[in-house]
Amino acid sequence: MAEDNDSNYILMTYILKHRYEFERAKDGKEAVDKTLTGVYDLVLMDIKMPVMDGLEATAAIREKMPDLPIVALTANAFDSDRQLAMDAGCTDFLTKPVSSTKCLETIAKYIG
């Protein structure tokens, strides 16, 4: 999970902790580094982050791992934001604040 905001990370921890193992990257560069050196089934990618934003991070990951599901998780809820995320290589798109049901359904769609 790439998420720089502590309160958003705490919320996602609450949603995911009983179903999935996960770890945090606090910026886009860390997300790229972790993804390219670790073994992950899916990435939840915040879009607005320091050092490297989620769109750049997604594009970098996508170059090396074309089949890894990357789900944008962002407060940017406009259709244009969705299109930018998809153009960068995101597989799916969730808006904050995310409902736990929608989040878990979206993850399950890609990794069960």
Side-chain angles (χ1 to χ4, degrees), residues 4-111:
D4 64 314
N5 182 289
D6 290 339
S7 60
N8 289 334
Y9 177 73
I10 291 167
L11 172 63
M12 292 306 297
T13 297
Y14 176 78
I15 293 170
L16 300 174
K17 68 181 175 182
H18 296 295
R19 290 191 167 89
Y20 300 102
E21 291 181 31
F22 56 93
E23 58 184 66
R24 180 182 187 185
K26 290 188 175 185
D27 61 57
K29 182 174 181 342
E30 186 178 359
V32 171
D33 293 344
K34 283 179 176 275
T35 303
L36 297 181
T37 59
V39 177
Y40 300 95
D41 297 316
L42 181 137
V43 176
L44 289 172
M45 182 70 74
D46 185 19
I47 299 301
K48 292 200 178 210
M49 291 185 292
V51 182
M52 176 187 285
D53 70 29
L55 298 176
E56 293 173 288
T58 296
I61 293 167
R62 190 57 69 221
E63 284 181 21
K64 304 285 186 184
M65 306 180 85
D67 298 325
L68 180 68
I70 302 173
V71 178
L73 184 59
T74 181
N76 302 341
F78 294 109
D79 287 339
S80 59
D81 298 314
R82 175 185 294 273
Q83 190 60 53
L84 286 171
M86 302 312 268
D87 289 347
C90 287
T91 313
D92 214 323
F93 188 88
L94 294 170
T95 57
K96 296 176 188 173
V98 66
S99 81
S100 58
T101 302
K102 180 69 173 165
C103 181
L104 293 172
E105 285 173 355
T106 300
I107 293 170
K109 191 166 46 170
Y110 299 104
I111 63 173

